[in-house]
């Protein structure tokens, strides 16, 4: 049976915030150290200590925003330990993630330079759990103040005369869990207090993000919105796709068809979560001024055997590509409320877009989905009808400033191909061109390795065609398809 989907090309809904395509890098395992930061003296080609291959790959993705330093690490991080001459920086133990020694070689200056080099906006997450208000206040001053402010003077002594521009700042991370095990009422009050001192210096204008709910903790959203909505610009949401249980999450590479289906079902839950949290937010913020910031999402499996359990290293297959495609489609549908999302995590941790091993680097299937979907960044979301009735096909669409219609489709079935008919309604001019790009594989666990880094990669798709404003295609099982129509 054909999947019939209607796209109203003249009913634009909302601009898709490019930050929906954001990333997250924590001091966790081999994400920052090794994955991004190798140090100036490393034989791995680098720019001031940041590895060039990773910089290039992130630039190519048009990475719009990067969240740092955590995660759970954020509420243990004391930023002053990460500035000044590297050899004098105090070491710390990363107690949450494997008890490793963090040399603090990668700190504020290194992060801000990373963002500059890849063209991303920085999103810094402050420490509420074990940090003081003054510490947070001074971090903002250090980053964004000029003139004779004491922290600005210190920044200048450390080699940076101009303030940076910083828009996104998170006040605590998972304050209901690793960030302090707080109750929402208590955190709401703390949020109100801490955010008071997150000041705007000169032209800088900070978008303040409060810690939001874990998965379906709707009470957290209710309390935070009721008590603190007027003091925030964004509220975060964390949701991970875990095929198994928390204790036994399942393997990244060895799984059954049933586990494939469960994974897809759990990925689709993101839609329900956003809808329900957003409905609560609507009660206090009908104008949708406060953005929902999904600043941690992605698949989470058991760590690869032989790797440090605290490092959360996992492989990445075509299954992860489908999870990414579906989730990004969902964010596009909710472009009116979701203003940012950050997949966890950029390199070597959970659903990474990049994996490294010594000098080697490779792009995962998830990377390729972000590369294909980047056309949606800043485009106008288009209204879709009919997809809800489809079981295997999941779609979102947008229109760019040149009136090109960009449709991204996922065939979630691991066994069935799917015929798709997309009725493109309301086009000003006849559509004649279609350019297709597909990511697919023959095996459910197809993935890239350092020896075979291009096993799963996008290819040109020639089988999409237009017949009288109908876009037609046959999608192979487990595929992500981009069609650009003009
Ligand atoms: O991304 C890994 C961890 O998951 C983060 O540190 C934490 O915020 C979440 O629980």
């Amino acid at each position: 049976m054909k999947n019939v989907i209607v796209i109203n090309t003249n009913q634009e809904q909302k601009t898709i915030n490019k930050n929906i395509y954001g990333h997250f890098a924590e001091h966790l395992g081999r994400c920052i150290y090794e994955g991004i930061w190798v140090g100036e003296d490393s034989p791995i080609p680098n720019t001031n200590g940041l590895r060039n291959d990773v910089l290039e790959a992130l630039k190519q993705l048009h990475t719009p925003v990067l969240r740092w330093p955590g995660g759970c690490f954020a509420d243990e991080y004391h930023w002053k330990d990460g500035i000044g001459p590297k050899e004098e920086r105090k070491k710390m133990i990363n107690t949450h993630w494997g008890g490793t020694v963090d040399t603090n070689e990668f700190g504020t200056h290194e992060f801000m330079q990373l963002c500059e080099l890849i063209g991303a906006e920085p999103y810094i997450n402050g420490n509420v759990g074990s940090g003081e208000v003054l510490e947070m206040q001074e971090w903002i001053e250090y980053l964004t103040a000029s003139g004779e402010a004491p922290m600005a003077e210190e920044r200048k002594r450390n080699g940076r005369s101009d303030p940076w521009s910083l828009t996104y700042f998170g006040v605590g991370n998972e304050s209901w869990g690793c960030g302090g095990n707080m109750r929402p009422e208590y955190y709401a009050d703390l949020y109100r207090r801490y955010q008071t001192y997150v000041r705007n210096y000169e032209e800088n204008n900070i978008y303040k993000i409060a810690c939001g709910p874990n998965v379906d903790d709707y009470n957290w959203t209710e309390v935070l919105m009721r008590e603190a909505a007027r003091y925030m610009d964004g509220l975060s949401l964390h949701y991970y796709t875990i095929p198994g249980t928390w204790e036994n999450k399942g393997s990244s590479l060895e799984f059954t068809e049933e586990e494939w289906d469960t994974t897809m079902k759990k990925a689709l839950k993101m839609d329900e979560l956003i809808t329900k949290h957003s409905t609560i937010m609507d009660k206090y913020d009908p104008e949708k001024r406060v953005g929902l910031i999904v600043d941690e999402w992605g698949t989470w499996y058991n760590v690869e055997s032989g790797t440090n359990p605290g490092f959360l290293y996992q492989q990445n297959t075509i299954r992860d590509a489908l999870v990414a495609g579906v989730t990004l489609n969902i964010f596009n549908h909710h472009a009116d409320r979701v203003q940012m999302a950050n997949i966890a995590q950029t390199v070597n941790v959970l659903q990474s877009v990049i994996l490294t091993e010594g000098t080697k680097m490779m792009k995962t299937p998830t990377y390729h989905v972000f590369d294909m979907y980047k056309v949606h960044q800043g485009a106008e979301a288009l209204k879709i009808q009919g997809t809800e009735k489809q079981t295997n096909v999941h779609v979102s669409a947008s229109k760019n400033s040149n009136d090109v219609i960009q449709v991204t489709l996922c065939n979630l079935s691991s066994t069935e191909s799917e015929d798709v008919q997309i009725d493109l309604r309301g086009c000003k001019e006849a559509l004649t061109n279609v350019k297709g790009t597909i990511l697919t594989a023959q095996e459910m666990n197809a993935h890239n390795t350092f020896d075979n880094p291009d096993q799963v990669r996008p290819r040109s798709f020639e089988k999409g065609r237009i017949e009288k404003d109908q876009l037609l295609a046959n999608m192979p099982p487990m595929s992500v398809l981009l069609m650009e129509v003009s």
Side-chain angles (χ1 to χ4, degrees):
M1 211 179 77
K2 222 182 248 171
N3 297 272
V4 181
I5 296 158
V6 176
I7 299 182
N8 292 300
T9 66
N10 56 357
Q11 276 181 23
E12 290 161 18
Q13 290 186 293
K14 182 87 208 276
T15 303
I16 297 171
N17 194 322
K18 65 181 189 325
N19 291 334
I20 282 174
Y21 292 85
H23 296 265
F24 166 39
E26 179 167 8
H27 288 234
L28 193 178
R30 298 188 300 114
C31 182
I32 293 289
Y33 296 105
E34 283 188 47
I36 292 173
W37 173 261
V38 289
E40 290 96 336
D41 300 331
S42 170
I44 298 173
N46 67 82
T47 304
N48 301 333
L50 301 160
R51 58 187 295 168
N52 289 345
D53 48 4
V54 170
L55 292 178
E56 196 43 49
L58 292 177
K59 224 176 353 177
Q60 193 193 322
L61 277 193
H62 299 175
T63 300
V65 63
L66 184 62
R67 177 176 183 242
W68 173 83
C72 295
F73 181 81
D75 283 288
E76 303 201 352
Y77 182 62
H78 300 285
W79 69 273
K80 285 189 182 171
D81 297 341
I83 54 169
K86 292 207 172 54
E87 56 290 356
E88 289 171 24
R89 293 189 192 173
K90 194 169 130 189
K91 295 187 173 63
M92 73 173 281
I93 303 295
N94 192 339
T95 40
H96 203 89
W97 300 119
T100 49
V101 175
D102 189 318
T103 58
N104 269 312
E105 265 176 77
F106 188 92
T108 301
H109 289 249
E110 291 73 24
F111 173 66
M112 296 306 275
Q113 183 171 45
L114 165 65
C115 291
E116 273 169 11
L117 289 172
I118 62 174
E121 285 219 58
Y123 166 17
I124 291 186
N125 211 117
N127 179 346
V128 171
S130 70
E132 301 301 326
V133 180
L134 178 63
E135 188 179 347
M136 190 178 282
Q137 181 184 24
E138 288 188 330
W139 201 3
I140 305 289
E141 186 181 304
Y142 187 88
L143 282 153
T144 62
S146 56
E148 291 173 15
M151 288 299 114
E153 296 292 1
E154 174 133 22
R155 188 191 63 235
K156 289 178 207 162
R157 283 194 292 279
N158 289 330
R160 168 87 189 192
S161 56
D162 289 338
W164 288 283
S165 123
L166 173 74
T167 305
Y168 302 103
F169 193 83
V171 180
N173 167 74
E174 298 198 349
S175 305
W176 37 261
C178 65
N181 289 307
M182 301 177 208
R183 291 171 305 113
E185 292 78 6
Y186 180 69
Y187 171 73
D189 279 350
L190 265 195
Y191 173 78
R192 289 165 61 128
R193 175 169 169 232
Y194 274 68
Q195 68 78 36
T196 308
Y197 304 94
V198 176
R199 306 265 190 218
N200 284 327
Y201 292 91
E202 288 104 44
E203 305 298 297
N204 198 62
N205 192 6
I206 295 194
Y207 183 99
K208 297 175 192 174
I209 300 169
C211 166
N214 183 27
V215 191
D216 55 0
D217 184 351
Y218 298 113
N219 180 52
W220 184 280
T221 301
E222 178 79 38
V223 175
L224 261 289
M225 289 302 290
R226 188 181 69 223
E227 304 299 337
R230 63 187 178 283
Y231 301 106
M232 66 176 83
D233 301 297
L235 182 71
S236 68
L237 165 67
H238 288 184
Y239 174 60
Y240 286 96
T241 299
I242 301 172
T245 60
W246 183 251
E247 292 69 34
N248 181 13
K249 301 180 178 70
S251 159
S252 68
L253 290 177
E254 286 160 31
F255 52 88
T256 60
E257 258 177 46
E258 201 187 331
E259 280 173 275
W260 170 286
D261 291 341
T262 310
T263 310
M264 296 306 138
K265 220 165 116 197
K266 291 196 172 180
L268 287 165
K269 190 176 166 68
M270 182 67 90
D271 190 44
E272 174 192 320
L273 293 172
I274 294 173
T275 304
K276 291 188 175 168
H277 285 295
S278 191
T279 305
I280 297 168
M281 293 172 82
D282 284 347
K283 192 165 134 194
Y284 300 96
D285 174 36
E287 310 297 323
K288 295 194 188 331
R289 183 192 61 80
V290 179
L292 191 59
I293 308 296
V294 191
D295 57 16
E296 288 189 29
W297 69 272
T299 52
W300 194 329
Y301 310 116
N302 297 334
V303 297
E304 296 306 323
S305 68
T307 66
N308 187 326
F311 283 13
L312 310 187
Y313 179 78
Q314 64 189 40
Q315 250 294 1
N316 196 294
T317 67
I318 188 73
R319 175 174 61 158
D320 297 85
L322 266 302
V323 171
V326 160
T327 308
L328 294 170
N329 280 344
I330 293 171
F331 294 154
N332 287 345
H333 295 164
H334 291 279
D336 57 345
R337 180 64 88 178
V338 179
Q339 296 303 332
M340 190 199 292
N342 312 73
I343 189 169
Q345 300 192 4
T346 317
V347 194
N348 295 332
V349 171
L350 299 178
Q351 193 177 351
S352 306
V353 288
I354 294 167
L355 298 177
T356 67
E357 196 178 83
T359 54
K360 296 182 190 155
M361 184 221 76
M362 69 172 182
K363 298 168 178 173
T364 65
T366 300
Y367 178 97
H368 294 304
V369 173
F370 271 79
D371 201 23
M372 289 161 69
Y373 274 59
K374 69 188 180 195
V375 294
H376 289 304
Q377 293 189 20
E380 299 300 313
L382 294 175
K383 194 155 188 243
I384 313 269
Q385 285 166 349
T387 47
E388 263 63 76
K389 291 181 204 74
Q390 322 301 320
T391 41
N392 291 333
V393 176
H394 196 267
V395 60
S396 76
S398 67
K399 182 154 79 174
N400 74 11
S401 51
N402 296 321
D403 282 344
V404 177
I405 314 288
Q406 311 164 136
V407 188
T408 44
L409 298 122
C410 299
N411 179 359
L412 308 187
S413 170
S414 58
T415 52
E416 306 296 318
S417 62
E418 292 286 346
D419 274 323
V420 177
Q421 173 189 319
I422 303 174
D423 293 348
L424 295 164
R425 296 203 182 143
C427 301
K428 279 189 235 137
E429 285 170 32
L431 300 167
T432 47
N433 296 318
V434 47
K435 180 177 155 218
T437 310
I438 193 161
L439 187 74
T440 187
Q442 302 295 321
E443 307 290 336
M444 287 191 299
N445 66 353
H447 59 281
N448 295 332
T449 62
F450 293 104
D451 293 331
N452 194 355
D454 287 326
Q455 172 82 9
V456 185
R457 67 175 164 84
R459 290 163 210 270
S460 149
F461 180 78
E462 311 293 345
K463 293 186 194 145
R465 60 186 200 284
I466 298 219
E467 282 173 17
K468 293 194 196 131
D469 286 349
Q470 285 188 347
L471 179 58
L472 304 165
N474 177 271
M475 294 183 72
M478 36 190 178
S479 58
V480 180
L481 174 62
L482 161 68
M483 289 199 281
E484 296 165 276
V485 190
S486 54

